[in-house]
Amino acid sequence: MTAVTAETIRFFPPDLFEDDRAALLDAVYSIGTGADQKFILGERTARLERALREDLGAADVVACSSGTSALTLILAAMGVGPGDEVVVPAFGCAPLASTVANRGARPVFADIDPRTLTADPAAAEALITERTRALMPAHMFSVMADMPAFRALADRHGLRLVEDSAVAQGGTLRGRPAGLWGDAGVYSFVQVKTFGMPGEGGAVVTGDTSLAADVRMLRNHGQDGVHRFRHHRVGYNSRFDEVMADFQLRRLAGLPGRLARRAEIAGYYSDRFAPLADRGIVAPPVGGDGRCHYVYAVLAERRDALVDHLAAHGVDSHVYYPRALPEQPAFAPYAAGGVRPVHAESAARRNLALPLYPHLSDAQVEHIADTVCAFAASREKTP
C-alpha cells in the first residue's frame, strides 16, 4: 500500500478542530483558573444537558464519560443482569456486546439487513426467548435502524428498547430524533462523531424521567447530587468534563451546518456511485428519511484492491468492524452454535469507509468519487 503523505486526503483529519482552537484554549484557561475549581459535573455540564434536551424535545439528557458508558448506565438503570438476554446486532462495535456481558447478561446476536447494515427486526424477533429482557438495535454508518419496527416489536413482547444512536446525533426518522425511539438512547461525542470533540464523552437521552434519574445517580458512584458521600446504589464513575462541556456549548450552534455539509457530501457520493452496483461496489441507500451521515461506507467485493487504489491516488480509507461480533474471540462464547449471521459476515468482509467530514473541499470530494469510479471502471475492462 502506498504510504500516506502530507497531500493525502486523510480519513481522520488532523485539523478537525482547527477553527475551534481559540475556543478550546479559552475554555481550558477559564475553567482552570476559575474560583470554584469545578472540573466535572458543574454548571457548564448542566447547561449542555439543558441545551440538548431543549433541542431534542427529550424529557432529559444526562452527560456521561462515553457512549459505551451511556449504554452501561442504561442497562444498569433497567436492572439488566445475570440470567437476562439482550438481542444485539451481529455487526458493529464491541460495546454492543461488551456492555451486556459486563452486566452479567448474555448478548444474543441478530443478523443484519444486507443493505442498511442495521439489525433485521425479523431476525431479532426469531431470537426472543423467555429470558430476553431488552432489544438493542444500533444505527450504522449513515443509516438509522428500522426503529418503528423495533418499537413495535418491543411493545408486542413487553421488552425494553435501548437505542444505540451513538453515531446518529442529528438524524431523524419520521420526524423523531435519533435516540428518542427507544426507552433510552445514547450519543457519543468522541472525535469523529457528528458532534465530536477532542476528548471522550457521551450522553443518555430519554423520554423517561424516572430512568434518567437512575442514570444520573449511577454515573456518579450512586450519589443523588444533593447528599455528597451518601451512596444510594452501587454506581460508576461516568462523569462529564467541564472543559468539554464548555467547548461543546460553543460549537452546538454550528452543528446543523456541519450536518448539512456531511449530507451534501454523502449525497454526492451516492449519486456518483449508484451505477457501480453491478461492478462490485454498492453504495448505501440514497438520501431520504432516517439518514445520519456519520460515516460513508460502501460495500466492495475487492476491498483490499480498492484500498490500495485509493491510497495510490492520495485518498485514505478505513475498514470498520472486520469481523462480525460472534467471530470475535471475546464474544465467541455467546455465539449460537451452528447459526451464522451471513449478512454480518459479508458486511465485515466488504465494508470500506471513505472520508466524510464538513471541511472537505468540493475538489477533494470530487477527487475521492472520481478515484472510486475509476477503480470500478478498471474492473470492467479487466478480462
Side-chain angles (χ1 to χ4, degrees), residues 64-77:
C64 56
S65 61
S66 69
T68 299
S69 181
L71 288 177
T72 298
L73 293 172
I74 292 170
L75 293 171

mmCIF file with all atom_site columns, all heavy atoms in Angstrom, residues 64-77:
data_model
loop_
_atom_site.group_PDB
_atom_site.id
_atom_site.type_symbol
_atom_site.label_atom_id
_atom_site.label_alt_id
_atom_site.label_comp_id
_atom_site.label_asym_id
_atom_site.label_entity_id
_atom_site.label_seq_id
_atom_site.pdbx_PDB_ins_code
_atom_site.Cartn_x
_atom_site.Cartn_y
_atom_site.Cartn_z
_atom_site.occupancy
_atom_site.B_iso_or_equiv
_atom_site.pdbx_formal_charge
_atom_site.auth_seq_id
_atom_site.auth_comp_id
_atom_site.auth_asym_id
_atom_site.auth_atom_id
_atom_site.pdbx_PDB_model_num
ATOM 1  N N   . CYS A 1 64 ? -22.320 11.966 30.155 1.00 0.00 ? 64 CYS A N   1
ATOM 2  C CA  . CYS A 1 64 ? -21.508 10.970 30.851 1.00 0.00 ? 64 CYS A CA  1
ATOM 3  C C   . CYS A 1 64 ? -20.171 10.819 30.125 1.00 0.00 ? 64 CYS A C   1
ATOM 4  O O   . CYS A 1 64 ? -19.871 11.565 29.197 1.00 0.00 ? 64 CYS A O   1
ATOM 5  C CB  . CYS A 1 64 ? -22.246 9.645  30.969 1.00 0.00 ? 64 CYS A CB  1
ATOM 6  S SG  . CYS A 1 64 ? -22.791 8.953  29.408 1.00 0.00 ? 64 CYS A SG  1
ATOM 7  N N   . SER A 1 65 ? -19.383 9.839  30.547 1.00 0.00 ? 65 SER A N   1
ATOM 8  C CA  . SER A 1 65 ? -17.987 9.810  30.122 1.00 0.00 ? 65 SER A CA  1
ATOM 9  C C   . SER A 1 65 ? -17.761 9.274  28.714 1.00 0.00 ? 65 SER A C   1
ATOM 10 O O   . SER A 1 65 ? -16.699 9.509  28.133 1.00 0.00 ? 65 SER A O   1
ATOM 11 C CB  . SER A 1 65 ? -17.155 8.991  31.117 1.00 0.00 ? 65 SER A CB  1
ATOM 12 O OG  . SER A 1 65 ? -17.615 7.653  31.169 1.00 0.00 ? 65 SER A OG  1
ATOM 13 N N   . SER A 1 66 ? -18.704 8.526  28.144 1.00 0.00 ? 66 SER A N   1
ATOM 14 C CA  . SER A 1 66 ? -18.544 7.993  26.789 1.00 0.00 ? 66 SER A CA  1
ATOM 15 C C   . SER A 1 66 ? -19.863 7.391  26.329 1.00 0.00 ? 66 SER A C   1
ATOM 16 O O   . SER A 1 66 ? -20.774 7.159  27.139 1.00 0.00 ? 66 SER A O   1
ATOM 17 C CB  . SER A 1 66 ? -17.449 6.916  26.747 1.00 0.00 ? 66 SER A CB  1
ATOM 18 O OG  . SER A 1 66 ? -17.857 5.754  27.446 1.00 0.00 ? 66 SER A OG  1
ATOM 19 N N   . GLY A 1 67 ? -19.944 7.091  25.046 1.00 0.00 ? 67 GLY A N   1
ATOM 20 C CA  . GLY A 1 67 ? -21.112 6.393  24.536 1.00 0.00 ? 67 GLY A CA  1
ATOM 21 C C   . GLY A 1 67 ? -21.230 4.991  25.110 1.00 0.00 ? 67 GLY A C   1
ATOM 22 O O   . GLY A 1 67 ? -22.334 4.510  25.403 1.00 0.00 ? 67 GLY A O   1
ATOM 23 N N   . THR A 1 68 ? -20.088 4.324  25.279 1.00 0.00 ? 68 THR A N   1
ATOM 24 C CA  . THR A 1 68 ? -20.092 2.997  25.876 1.00 0.00 ? 68 THR A CA  1
ATOM 25 C C   . THR A 1 68 ? -20.618 3.051  27.299 1.00 0.00 ? 68 THR A C   1
ATOM 26 O O   . THR A 1 68 ? -21.454 2.226  27.714 1.00 0.00 ? 68 THR A O   1
ATOM 27 C CB  . THR A 1 68 ? -18.663 2.410  25.880 1.00 0.00 ? 68 THR A CB  1
ATOM 28 O OG1 . THR A 1 68 ? -18.205 2.291  24.544 1.00 0.00 ? 68 THR A OG1 1
ATOM 29 C CG2 . THR A 1 68 ? -18.627 1.049  26.544 1.00 0.00 ? 68 THR A CG2 1
ATOM 30 N N   . SER A 1 69 ? -20.149 4.018  28.056 1.00 0.00 ? 69 SER A N   1
ATOM 31 C CA  . SER A 1 69 ? -20.621 4.189  29.426 1.00 0.00 ? 69 SER A CA  1
ATOM 32 C C   . SER A 1 69 ? -22.113 4.494  29.450 1.00 0.00 ? 69 SER A C   1
ATOM 33 O O   . SER A 1 69 ? -22.838 4.028  30.338 1.00 0.00 ? 69 SER A O   1
ATOM 34 C CB  . SER A 1 69 ? -19.839 5.309  30.107 1.00 0.00 ? 69 SER A CB  1
ATOM 35 O OG  . SER A 1 69 ? -20.254 5.472  31.438 1.00 0.00 ? 69 SER A OG  1
ATOM 36 N N   . ALA A 1 70 ? -22.584 5.261  28.465 1.00 0.00 ? 70 ALA A N   1
ATOM 37 C CA  . ALA A 1 70 ? -24.015 5.574  28.401 1.00 0.00 ? 70 ALA A CA  1
ATOM 38 C C   . ALA A 1 70 ? -24.843 4.300  28.253 1.00 0.00 ? 70 ALA A C   1
ATOM 39 O O   . ALA A 1 70 ? -25.877 4.134  28.914 1.00 0.00 ? 70 ALA A O   1
ATOM 40 C CB  . ALA A 1 70 ? -24.279 6.526  27.231 1.00 0.00 ? 70 ALA A CB  1
ATOM 41 N N   . LEU A 1 71 ? -24.401 3.373  27.400 1.00 0.00 ? 71 LEU A N   1
ATOM 42 C CA  . LEU A 1 71 ? -25.103 2.103  27.268 1.00 0.00 ? 71 LEU A CA  1
ATOM 43 C C   . LEU A 1 71 ? -25.091 1.329  28.582 1.00 0.00 ? 71 LEU A C   1
ATOM 44 O O   . LEU A 1 71 ? -26.107 0.752  28.992 1.00 0.00 ? 71 LEU A O   1
ATOM 45 C CB  . LEU A 1 71 ? -24.467 1.257  26.165 1.00 0.00 ? 71 LEU A CB  1
ATOM 46 C CG  . LEU A 1 71 ? -24.689 1.683  24.724 1.00 0.00 ? 71 LEU A CG  1
ATOM 47 C CD1 . LEU A 1 71 ? -23.914 0.775  23.770 1.00 0.00 ? 71 LEU A CD1 1
ATOM 48 C CD2 . LEU A 1 71 ? -26.170 1.670  24.360 1.00 0.00 ? 71 LEU A CD2 1
ATOM 49 N N   . THR A 1 72 ? -23.938 1.312  29.243 1.00 0.00 ? 72 THR A N   1
ATOM 50 C CA  . THR A 1 72 ? -23.827 0.604  30.514 1.00 0.00 ? 72 THR A CA  1
ATOM 51 C C   . THR A 1 72 ? -24.776 1.184  31.552 1.00 0.00 ? 72 THR A C   1
ATOM 52 O O   . THR A 1 72 ? -25.457 0.444  32.281 1.00 0.00 ? 72 THR A O   1
ATOM 53 C CB  . THR A 1 72 ? -22.376 0.674  31.031 1.00 0.00 ? 72 THR A CB  1
ATOM 54 O OG1 . THR A 1 72 ? -21.519 0.035  30.092 1.00 0.00 ? 72 THR A OG1 1
ATOM 55 C CG2 . THR A 1 72 ? -22.239 0.000  32.382 1.00 0.00 ? 72 THR A CG2 1
ATOM 56 N N   . LEU A 1 73 ? -24.835 2.500  31.636 1.00 0.00 ? 73 LEU A N   1
ATOM 57 C CA  . LEU A 1 73 ? -25.710 3.152  32.600 1.00 0.00 ? 73 LEU A CA  1
ATOM 58 C C   . LEU A 1 73 ? -27.175 2.821  32.342 1.00 0.00 ? 73 LEU A C   1
ATOM 59 O O   . LEU A 1 73 ? -27.955 2.591  33.278 1.00 0.00 ? 73 LEU A O   1
ATOM 60 C CB  . LEU A 1 73 ? -25.494 4.668  32.567 1.00 0.00 ? 73 LEU A CB  1
ATOM 61 C CG  . LEU A 1 73 ? -24.132 5.170  33.046 1.00 0.00 ? 73 LEU A CG  1
ATOM 62 C CD1 . LEU A 1 73 ? -23.997 6.661  32.768 1.00 0.00 ? 73 LEU A CD1 1
ATOM 63 C CD2 . LEU A 1 73 ? -23.924 4.881  34.522 1.00 0.00 ? 73 LEU A CD2 1
ATOM 64 N N   . ILE A 1 74 ? -27.565 2.792  31.066 1.00 0.00 ? 74 ILE A N   1
ATOM 65 C CA  . ILE A 1 74 ? -28.950 2.466  30.731 1.00 0.00 ? 74 ILE A CA  1
ATOM 66 C C   . ILE A 1 74 ? -29.283 1.037  31.149 1.00 0.00 ? 74 ILE A C   1
ATOM 67 O O   . ILE A 1 74 ? -30.317 0.780  31.783 1.00 0.00 ? 74 ILE A O   1
ATOM 68 C CB  . ILE A 1 74 ? -29.202 2.659  29.222 1.00 0.00 ? 74 ILE A CB  1
ATOM 69 C CG1 . ILE A 1 74 ? -29.140 4.139  28.848 1.00 0.00 ? 74 ILE A CG1 1
ATOM 70 C CG2 . ILE A 1 74 ? -30.561 2.077  28.820 1.00 0.00 ? 74 ILE A CG2 1
ATOM 71 C CD1 . ILE A 1 74 ? -29.131 4.394  27.356 1.00 0.00 ? 74 ILE A CD1 1
ATOM 72 N N   . LEU A 1 75 ? -28.419 0.104  30.787 1.00 0.00 ? 75 LEU A N   1
ATOM 73 C CA  . LEU A 1 75 ? -28.665 -1.294 31.133 1.00 0.00 ? 75 LEU A CA  1
ATOM 74 C C   . LEU A 1 75 ? -28.722 -1.474 32.647 1.00 0.00 ? 75 LEU A C   1
ATOM 75 O O   . LEU A 1 75 ? -29.566 -2.227 33.164 1.00 0.00 ? 75 LEU A O   1
ATOM 76 C CB  . LEU A 1 75 ? -27.582 -2.184 30.523 1.00 0.00 ? 75 LEU A CB  1
ATOM 77 C CG  . LEU A 1 75 ? -27.571 -2.271 28.994 1.00 0.00 ? 75 LEU A CG  1
ATOM 78 C CD1 . LEU A 1 75 ? -26.324 -3.010 28.518 1.00 0.00 ? 75 LEU A CD1 1
ATOM 79 C CD2 . LEU A 1 75 ? -28.830 -2.972 28.464 1.00 0.00 ? 75 LEU A CD2 1
ATOM 80 N N   . ALA A 1 76 ? -27.835 -0.793 33.360 1.00 0.00 ? 76 ALA A N   1
ATOM 81 C CA  . ALA A 1 76 ? -27.843 -0.883 34.817 1.00 0.00 ? 76 ALA A CA  1
ATOM 82 C C   . ALA A 1 76 ? -29.124 -0.283 35.395 1.00 0.00 ? 76 ALA A C   1
ATOM 83 O O   . ALA A 1 76 ? -29.735 -0.842 36.310 1.00 0.00 ? 76 ALA A O   1
ATOM 84 C CB  . ALA A 1 76 ? -26.614 -0.177 35.395 1.00 0.00 ? 76 ALA A CB  1
ATOM 85 N N   . ALA A 1 77 ? -29.541 0.867  34.871 1.00 0.00 ? 77 ALA A N   1
ATOM 86 C CA  . ALA A 1 77 ? -30.760 1.512  35.357 1.00 0.00 ? 77 ALA A CA  1
ATOM 87 C C   . ALA A 1 77 ? -31.992 0.649  35.102 1.00 0.00 ? 77 ALA A C   1
ATOM 88 O O   . ALA A 1 77 ? -32.957 0.670  35.871 1.00 0.00 ? 77 ALA A O   1
ATOM 89 C CB  . ALA A 1 77 ? -30.926 2.876  34.700 1.00 0.00 ? 77 ALA A CB  1
#
